[in-house]
Amino acid sequence: MDDTTARERLESMLAELDRSIGVLRGEPVAVADRSAADAGSDLTDTDRAQAMLTVATTHRGAILAALKRLDEGTYGDCVDCGRPVPEGRLEARPEAARCVPCQAKQERRR
Ligand SMILES: [Zn+2]
């Protein structure tokens, strides 16, 4: 995947996430929805929205970091070992910052 394609994919993912985050935060679209469906906001929905918001915000950060690496010319290199992240992995997750072994190590550390 070349840098132009990667950037396009990352930017469209970012736009999509920003839209979702806007909805989850209850900006205009959701507010209109809610008044129609009545403000019977139960805690479960709020919790679910909050959890989704956390995931979306984390994902957004990963995408922004990937765009920054594109700007710096280090996109596609693992941030830990510096080796190229396999093409197939970037196809599946353009925001991936690490190769598979380093990502596995990172996740074990948590
Ligand atoms: Zn690595």
Side-chain angles (χ1 to χ4, degrees), residues 2-3 6 16 21 24 29 35 39 47 49-50 52 63 66-68 71 81-82 88 92 94 97 99 103-104 107:
D2 60 65
D3 281 6
E16 182 64 25
I21 290 170
L24 289 169
V29 187
S35 55
D47 285 350
Q50 190 57 50
M52 284 167 68
I63 291 168
L67 284 167
K68 186 161 174 283
D71 288 340
C81 69
C99 63
Q103 185 62 45
E107 277 163 17

Side-chain angles (χ1 to χ4, degrees), residues 78 80-82 99 102:
C78 173
D80 283 352
C81 69
C99 63
C102 288

